[in-house]
Amino acid sequence: MPPRTFFQRDPESLAKALLGQHLVRVIANQRLVGRIVEVEAYLGVKDKAAHTYAGRRTPRNEAIWGPAGHAYVYFTYGMHHCMNVVAGDVDVPVAVLIRALEPVEGLDAMHAHRLKASRPIDLCSGPAKLCQAMSIDKNLNGADLVSGLSLTIEQTRARTLPARMIATGPRIGVDYADDWAQKPLRFWVKDNPHVSR
DNA sequence: CCCGTGATTTAT
DNA sequence: TAAATCACGGGG
């Protein structure tokens, strides 16, 4: 498990560092594990696509303003949850959205959580899909990924992915954000079939 | 392409 | 209080 200092950096750097690491969810002594293959960086008060744009601080997004290495889980569209990893320093509201995982452990349980998905490739290939597969909801909003037990990050043996294996492009679903919509703040593992869309 | 779905935010 | 919005997913 990485120390808190791993998370305490700018969100673009953390986004790339999270690729290849494992997101681990423990439920009733069972491990659900996914390799992080797609992420997006959200750059805080200046970022028109971010929930904290222009210094917005509300009950929902409070976790982003806190210390790095915690989860920010929010509910949207009346039915979906999405999970972020908080980056940066306290009072600097930056974070990384987890957009896709490659299932590694606990595939049966993930399937049970996602009845609509038939193939492994449909289990975690989207930010709300992976939350459903790993049973991540608002109960885990604010959870500490460094010291916690039920939701953590584990560093894989490879540690950091070489830059040549990382692809970059615009973030998804932020068309409302004008000039910020096109900035290359989405990162994924090149040629990995488990990324979204 | 379109629409479900309701918490959360923002405007009156 | 009321209206608008939405870092999505599934089905044509």
Side-chain angles (χ1 to χ4, degrees):
Chain A
M1 190 136 59
R4 193 167 309 281
T5 49
F6 173 83
F7 300 99
Q8 193 172 5
R9 55 170 123 181
D10 78 85
E12 292 176 80
S13 167
L14 179 61
K16 288 181 268 190
L18 282 172
L19 289 176
Q21 314 307 327
H22 284 174
L23 182 66
V24 179
R25 174 88 169 101
V26 178
I27 309 170
N29 282 344
Q30 197 198 0
R31 278 164 59 87
L32 306 185
V33 180
R35 178 174 178 251
I36 299 171
V37 297
E38 182 184 357
V39 293
E40 283 175 359
Y42 284 85
L43 273 45
V45 300
K46 65 181 177 184
D47 179 358
K48 216 172 247 185
H51 289 171
T52 51
Y53 174 61
R56 286 198 295 257
R57 185 169 187 159
T58 66
R60 177 178 72 157
N61 70 25
E62 185 60 31
I64 317 180
W65 293 84
H70 290 248
Y72 164 51
V73 181
Y74 69 93
F75 184 70
T76 189
Y77 289 105
M79 56 183 99
H80 299 302
H81 291 275
C82 296
M83 176 195 165
N84 291 246
V85 175
V86 176
D89 292 308
V90 171
D91 288 335
V92 179
V94 292
V96 176
L97 172 71
I98 310 294
R99 280 199 62 90
L101 304 174
E102 175 177 339
V104 171
E105 239 180 274
L107 293 256
D108 289 346
M110 291 185 195
H111 254 127
H113 294 150
R114 277 186 50 70
L115 298 173
K116 304 226 157 135
S118 48
R119 304 166 303 171
I121 208 172
D122 297 318
L123 248 27
C124 300
S125 52
K129 293 181 190 177
L130 70 91
C131 283
Q132 193 179 0
M134 305 208 36
S135 201
I136 294 168
D137 62 21
K138 276 177 48 177
N139 293 322
L140 287 165
N141 185 34
D144 188 353
L145 305 173
V146 176
S147 71
L149 296 167
S150 52
L151 186 62
T152 57
I153 304 269
E154 286 179 2
Q155 263 178 318
T156 54
R157 203 174 182 82
R159 293 274 165 150
T160 266
L161 226 52
R164 62 179 171 76
M165 296 190 61
I166 300 179
T168 303
R171 294 173 293 184
I172 305 293
V174 296
D175 295 343
Y176 57 86
D178 303 333
D179 47 323
W180 280 87
Q182 294 155 46
K183 294 190 188 291
L185 293 173
R186 172 175 173 243
F187 306 94
W188 66 95
V189 178
K190 207 174 278 184
D191 299 324
N192 188 286
H194 296 271
V195 301
S196 63
R197 268 126 85 59

